[in-house]
């Protein structure tokens, strides 16, 4: 990618002043200790930083940004560092200051009557889920990275995950935000309202802005009744073309009770069986594709189980699916989910993997995968597509593992060309080149191909209105 115009190295005076704001124990100056903040999960980016700061309050975040704005110091906000597009990692110049949010980890309020929870940005998602659960509520946002990612990070990336089908993405769950702006002023938008039509929605601008418009310090999130009955089913399909009909059958009858509908290919399941013991094939004979779906209800009883049995029987009868199993215990349900949740990780053991995070209208998913698979075979013969993910949202992680005998580096050198070709199909089908992971650094240069010039111009004007000096995560997203 073309290197961005980054602000220059901050002076020693500026760095010392920034350290004084958080206190010496909460600042990291030494290169080795900074390492965990400078590399990410996929090991794709290795950044450098002038300093890592770990503020403990909104006031400290405000003081940091005020000083940074006055001195034109570039700031990289960082949550749990699980982002998959490099947005949380500074560039290699070493001029930027990383602001880690993990110490802003208080739960400020939980309102059971209003069904909301107010949490600070550094609260780990799984902790927020657990606190909601212990109060008898569901915080439905759920991602495989939930043990590390933070509320600020999931909002800044508008994360999706496994339950979007019924509950929406992070954006749909946030009612209000508290945000520190580039000049240090604090916007208190911590409203807990379902309805508020008072002009432009500032909250929605910050959600998905990937740290380029402000630093989120707290949020009011929606809570839901905790499911009392949940059933998990696993079905084998011989042709992916059957999946839209099977999905429609379930969605029409279950409606909001359908809380997940995921797909994975046989090869993905084989990777899990090969690399993630103990795991076993839930069905007696192999199928080309698998669907994992879940029905949930806040009512105790067997209503969901009966509905799932009926739908599976109808799906078999209509030959939409070839075989199926319904989890008979929580352990079995967890075993089925584990097959899906490991889908990404196990690909690491099969050499290089070229990734895409794309979405198309649900009915076009089989067309997308067929066309992309043909293209892969043409461009890199022997490469092994492992498309999986959130079928019900039309969101597919179109990952391609290298041919077993190919050199990893040579395979990965096809990354950009393959991305460009697959994205062309996606755009042709009316889809998006980033369904849930964002743009960050990885896809920044792809954005002009996917957005209209007018859209980009409006985005640049918004950026300039919020961050005139360009100190917030420069070179990311735009
Ligand atoms: P970080 O990675 O630290 O930051 C991400 C971006 O947000 C950066 O641009 C950063 O600058 C900005 N940012 C962070 N905190 C703040 C803040 N307080 N204010 C302003 N900006 C901020 N994503 C999905 O959507 N769905 C999935 O199913 C999914 N599965 C994943 C599975 C694995 C194994 C992994 C490693 C990642 C997965 N992700 C998924 C991606 C990732 O978990 C999400 O993008 C998550 O929302 C990032 O949260 P984080 O706290 O780690 O943010
Ligand atoms: Zn996903």
């Amino acid at each position: 990618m073309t290197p961005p115009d980054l602000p220059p190295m901050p002076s020693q005076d500026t760095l010392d002043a920034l350290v004084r704001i958080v206190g010496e124990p909460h600042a990291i100056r030494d290169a080795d200790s900074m390492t965990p903040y400078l590399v990410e999960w996929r090991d794709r980016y290795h950044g450098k930083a002038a300093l890592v700061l770990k503020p403990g309050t909104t006031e400290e975040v405000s003081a940091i940004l005020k000083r940074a704005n006055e001195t034109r110091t570039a700031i990289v906000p960082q949550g749990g560092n699980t982002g998959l597009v490099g947005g949380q990692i500074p560039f290699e110049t070493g001029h930027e200051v990383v602001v880690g949010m993990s110490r802003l980890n208080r739960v400020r309020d939980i309102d059971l009557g209003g069904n909301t929870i107010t949490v600070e940005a550094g609260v780990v998602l799984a902790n927020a889920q657990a606190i909601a659960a212990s109060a008898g509520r569901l915080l439905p946002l759920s991602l495989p990275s939930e043990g590390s990612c933070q509320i600020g990070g999931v909002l800044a990336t508008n994360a999706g995950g496994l339950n979007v089908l019924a509950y929406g993405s992070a954006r749909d769950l946030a009612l209000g935000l508290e945000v520190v702006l580039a000049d240090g002023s604090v916007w208190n938008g911590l409203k807990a309202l379902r309805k508020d039509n008072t002009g432009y929605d500032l909250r929605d601008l910050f959600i998905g802005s990937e740290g380029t418009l402000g630093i989120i310090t707290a949020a009011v999130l929606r809570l839901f009744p905790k499911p009392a009955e949940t059933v998990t089913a696993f079905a084998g399909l011989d042709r992916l073309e059957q999946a839209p009909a099977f999905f429609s059958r379930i969605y029409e009858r279950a409606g909001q009770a359908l809380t997940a509908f995921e797909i994975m290919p046989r090869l993905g399941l084989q990777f899990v069986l090969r690399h993630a013991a103990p795991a076993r094939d839930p069905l007696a004979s192999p199928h080309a594709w698998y669907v994992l779906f879940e029905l949930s209800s806040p009512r105790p009883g067997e209503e969901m189980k009966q509905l799932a049995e009926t739908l599976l029987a109808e799906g078999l009868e209509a030959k939409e699916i070839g075989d199926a199993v319904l989890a008979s215990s929580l352990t079995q349900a967890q075993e089925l989910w584990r097959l899906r949740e490991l889908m990404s990780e196990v690909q690491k053991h099969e050499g290089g993997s070229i990734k895409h995070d794309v979405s198309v209208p649900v009915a076009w998913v089989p067309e997308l995968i067929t066309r992309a698979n043909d293209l892969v075979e043409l461009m890199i013969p022997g490469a092994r597509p492992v498309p999986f993910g959130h079928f019900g949202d039309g969101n597919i992680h179109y990952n391609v593992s290298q041919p077993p005998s190919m050199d990893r580096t040579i395979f990965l050198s096809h990354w950009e060309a393959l991305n460009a070709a697959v994205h062309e199909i996606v755009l042709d089908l009316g889809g998006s080149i980033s369904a849930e992971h964002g743009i960050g650094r990885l896809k920044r240069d792809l954005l002009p191909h996917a957005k209209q010039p007018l859209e980009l111009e409006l985005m640049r004007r918004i950026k300039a209105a919020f961050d005139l000096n360009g100190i917030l995560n420069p070179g990311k997203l735009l």
Side-chain angles (χ1 to χ4, degrees), residues 55-366:
T57 61
T58 301
E59 291 70 29
E60 287 181 7
V61 176
S62 161
I64 291 170
L65 290 196
K66 183 166 187 295
R67 186 77 185 203
N69 197 43
E70 285 162 2
T71 55
R72 308 284 195 272
T73 301
I75 296 292
V76 181
Q78 189 176 101
N81 191 8
T82 68
L84 295 175
V85 290
Q88 73 282 16
I89 302 294
F91 285 94
E92 293 76 9
T93 60
H95 296 176
E96 297 175 279
V97 172
V98 173
V99 175
M101 299 298 288
S102 56
R103 289 182 60 232
L104 271 92
N105 60 0
R106 285 158 286 249
V107 175
R108 292 195 191 164
D109 186 35
I110 180 156
D111 174 0
L112 297 181
N115 287 297
T116 60
I117 185 168
T118 306
V119 283
E120 292 186 343
V123 173
V124 170
L125 176 57
N127 294 347
Q129 292 166 345
I131 290 162
S134 63
R137 295 291 185 275
L138 173 74
L139 175 60
L141 193 67
S142 173
L143 333 174
S145 54
E146 63 201 17
S148 307
C149 67
Q150 301 175 2
I151 297 300
V154 298
L155 290 167
T157 58
N158 185 26
L162 302 167
N163 291 331
V164 174
L165 195 53
Y167 300 101
S169 54
R171 183 186 302 283
D172 302 291
L173 301 174
L175 294 178
L177 297 182
E178 177 187 87
V179 183
V180 179
L181 305 182
D183 65 359
S185 49
V186 179
W187 173 54
N188 182 345
L190 282 178
K191 287 191 172 169
L193 303 174
R194 295 293 298 278
K195 292 190 162 187
D196 177 17
N197 282 349
T198 51
Y200 305 143
D201 197 328
L202 299 175
R203 174 197 59 193
D204 270 355
L205 276 177
F206 292 109
I207 297 172
S209 68
E210 302 184 38
T212 64
L213 297 183
I215 297 192
I216 298 167
T217 47
V220 184
L221 304 175
R222 292 173 65 189
L223 298 177
F224 292 80
K226 205 157 101 177
E229 191 201 356
T230 300
V231 294
T232 306
F234 189 88
L237 283 68
D238 295 317
R239 292 172 54 243
L240 188 61
E241 286 69 22
Q242 311 284 39
F246 187 53
F247 171 70
S248 291
R249 175 185 300 283
I250 299 176
Y251 189 58
E252 279 164 23
R253 298 272 287 285
Q256 293 297 98
L258 176 59
T259 40
F261 190 100
E262 302 281 314
I263 59 160
M264 55 199 133
R266 175 73 194 164
L267 184 62
L269 180 65
Q270 281 172 330
F271 284 0
V272 176
L273 300 178
R274 197 177 297 162
H275 302 294
R280 55 176 198 90
D281 189 339
L283 302 178
S285 60
H287 295 268
W289 288 91
Y290 299 97
V291 162
L292 178 67
F293 74 89
E294 185 187 84
L295 305 180
S296 316
S297 163
R299 287 180 296 278
E302 302 223 313
E303 191 190 354
M304 292 299 110
K305 181 168 174 259
Q306 282 155 13
L307 179 59
E309 280 168 356
T310 307
L311 291 166
L312 289 174
E314 289 178 8
L316 283 164
E317 167 93 26
K319 299 205 171 4
E320 288 159 3
I321 55 176
D323 194 6
V325 52
L326 199 59
S328 58
S329 65
L330 184 61
T331 311
Q332 207 189 348
Q334 285 165 345
E335 278 169 15
L336 295 175
W337 268 111
R338 187 170 172 268
L339 301 175
R340 163 63 186 88
E341 280 161 4
L342 286 169
M343 198 62 24
S344 191
E345 203 176 307
V346 290
Q347 291 167 35
K348 284 187 174 180
H349 303 288
E350 292 284 333
S353 168
I354 299 178
K355 323 265 187 196
H356 308 76
D357 163 37
V358 298
S359 63
V360 294
V362 177
W364 289 114
V365 171

Side-chain angles (χ1 to χ4, degrees), residues 8-21 29 50-51 53 64 66-75 95 97:
M9 184 70 178
S11 71
Q12 196 56 49
D13 269 5
T14 300
L15 295 176
D16 291 342
L18 289 170
V19 170
R20 278 196 298 276
I21 293 169
R29 299 181 192 243
L51 194 62
L53 297 172
I64 291 170
K66 183 166 187 295
R67 186 77 185 203
N69 197 43
E70 285 162 2
T71 55
R72 308 284 195 272
T73 301
I75 296 292
H95 296 176
V97 172

